Every structure is written in structure tokens, then in C-alpha cells.
């Protein structure tokens, strides 16, 4: 019998994954998490209701010549083109731009929902990691309906494609494993949805 997925399970996984996608691995927010994934201790704390593929464990523990901090810089900052940009509008806008129509729709939803979302970062709100952190906050504050809307309208329509591209282009075993774990985790979250996921065109 499959174990019931709880709000606490989702909150924990959202905070962990969000921190690792948003912050460089040497930062105060991400360093303890990165270390736990690399030494395998995370498995004892990961919710049992959130299964993951066996290769995730090996990926986190596989050494690589590229330093983890350099891999994060390459994947999320540049200076060269990112293999898989982590912003929703890049995948949902025909012109593949930041602050596209989908970002504006997210902002409008935030305003209409009375959510003051200030990440303190100079980048669009539709960053994959930021949306994970927002999803954790919504559940922590008891906003179940808003959590459902965030996933169905503003995250799940594009994040599956993003994660597949991210995993394929990560070029570092740690971040390939992170992409796979995020895929498996959000697939489990989706089972909690009581509303259909919006169908939106993904631009290659």
C-alpha cells in the first residue's frame, strides 16, 4: 500500500529542492543540503511517500572533475547560454524571453491572491526554485487552494519539460541526480491535485 503523501512531506521536499535550485552549493542555504546528498545521509530524512529512482542516490555520490560550484554557475548563471533556463517564460513564450506573458500572468495571480512575493533576488518570479519555495510557504500558511492553483496553472505546465532538458544538459552527476529527484518528487505532488493541469504550449 502506497504511503499517504502529507503536507509536511511536500513542504520539506519543496524547501530542500528549492534551496538547491536557487542557491549556489557553497552558500549557507545550500551547503549543508549538498553535503547531505553527497554523503547519502539525506535518504534517512527524505519522506518515504516520495519515491525516487535508484540512480538518484548514485548520482549524488559520484565524483566529477568539475567543481560543484562551477557546475551551478554554468547551469544557472552563465556566462554562456544555459542548457535549460529555469524560468517558465523561456519555455512558454514564443520568443523565449524573460518576463514574458506567463510571468505577467503569474504576477497578476499573486496580486489577486494577496501574496506579496519578494524573493530578494533580481530575477523573474517564475524561477523553478523560487516557485518550489513559494509552494512550501503556501502549504505552511494553510493556503491549500492557492497551492493547487500555483501547481496547476503556473508550475506543472512547463516544469516537466524544463527538468528533462535540465537533466539531459546538466553535465554533472550531482545536478543530473537533482533533476531526476525533482521530476520524481513533482510527479508525486501531482497526485495531490484536485484540478486539471493547464495545457500550455512549450516552445523548443
Amino acid at each position: 500500500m502506497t504511503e499517504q503523501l502529507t503536507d509536511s512531506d511536500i513542504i520539506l521536499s519543496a524547501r530542500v529542492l528549492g534551496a538547491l535550485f536557487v542557491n549556489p552549493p557553497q552558500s549557507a542555504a545550500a551547503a549543508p543540503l549538498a553535503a547531505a546528498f553527497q554523503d547519502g545521509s539525506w535518504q534517512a530524512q527524505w519522506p518515504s511517500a516520495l519515491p525516487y529512482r535508484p540512480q538518484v542516490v548514485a548520482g549524488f555520490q559520484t565524483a566529477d572533475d568539475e567543481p560543484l560550484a562551477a557546475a551551478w554557475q554554468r547551469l544557472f548563471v552563465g556566462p554562456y547560454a544555459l542548457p535549460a533556463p529555469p524560468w517558465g517564460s523561456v519555455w512558454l513564450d514564443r520568443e523565449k524571453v524573460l518576463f514574458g506573458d506567463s510571468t505577467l500572468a503569474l504576477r497578476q495571480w499573486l496580486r489577486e491572491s494577496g501574496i506579496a512575493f519578494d524573493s530578494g533576488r533580481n530575477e523573474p518570479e517564475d524561477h523553478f526554485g523560487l516557485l518550489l519555495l513559494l509552494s512550501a510557504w503556501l502549504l505552511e500558511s494553510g493556503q491549500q487552494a492557492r497551492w493547487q492553483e500555483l501547481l496547476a496553472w503556473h508550475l506543472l505546465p512547463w516544469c516537466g519539460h524544463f527538468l528533462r532538458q535540465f537533466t539531459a544538459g546538466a553535465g554533472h552527476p550531482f545536478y543530473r541526480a537533482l533533476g531526476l529527484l525533482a521530476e520524481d518528487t513533482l510527479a508525486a505532488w501531482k497526485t495531490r491535485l484536485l484540478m486539471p493541469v493547464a495545457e500550455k504550449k512549450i516552445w523548443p
Side-chain angles (χ1 to χ4, degrees):
M1 181 176 179
T2 303
E3 186 172 338
Q4 184 69 31
L5 182 64
T6 67
D7 286 358
S8 296
D9 295 335
I10 296 172
I11 291 167
L12 185 150
S13 57
R15 290 210 168 277
V16 169
L17 294 175
L20 288 170
F21 273 95
V22 167
N23 301 289
Q26 71 274 23
S27 67
L33 300 173
F37 278 102
Q38 289 175 314
D39 67 22
S41 60
W42 68 281
Q43 296 173 75
Q45 302 174 58
W46 194 254
S48 56
L50 291 172
Y52 47 84
R53 283 165 273 191
Q55 58 264 46
V56 167
V57 177
F60 281 127
Q61 295 181 302
T62 300
D64 193 84
D65 291 337
E66 183 182 29
L68 201 57
W72 189 89
Q73 178 80 18
R74 173 174 55 79
L75 290 168
F76 294 102
V77 180
Y80 305 109
L82 306 185
W87 302 280
S89 66
V90 174
W91 304 104
L92 296 173
D93 192 285
R94 179 193 295 267
E95 304 300 324
K96 299 185 73 69
V97 296
L98 296 181
F99 298 102
D101 289 343
S102 62
T103 312
L104 300 180
L106 172 62
R107 286 183 173 179
Q108 181 177 350
W109 175 80
L110 290 167
R111 286 194 300 270
E112 292 174 352
S113 303
I115 300 170
F117 183 42
D118 182 9
S119 68
R121 300 167 61 90
N122 185 28
E123 66 179 314
E125 298 89 335
D126 60 348
H127 184 291
F128 176 70
L130 292 179
L131 292 179
L132 295 185
L133 296 175
L134 175 59
S135 72
W137 178 82
L138 289 171
L139 284 184
E140 285 177 324
S141 56
Q143 299 187 57
Q144 281 276 359
R146 299 301 185 203
W147 180 81
Q148 297 264 340
E149 292 171 358
L150 176 69
L151 262 64
W153 297 346
H154 301 290
L155 180 57
L156 291 178
W158 64 272
C159 75
H161 182 79
F162 156 68
L163 287 170
R164 288 189 293 273
Q165 297 298 312
F166 178 84
T167 301
H172 191 290
F174 182 95
Y175 285 107
R176 280 197 297 271
L178 183 63
L180 291 174
L181 180 61
E183 279 190 71
D184 294 342
T185 300
L186 268 72
W189 289 10
K190 188 177 178 180
T191 65
R192 283 278 306 272
L193 284 186
L194 302 176
M195 58 193 303
V197 175
E199 295 186 10
K200 299 184 180 181
K201 181 174 178 59
I202 301 294
W203 296 92

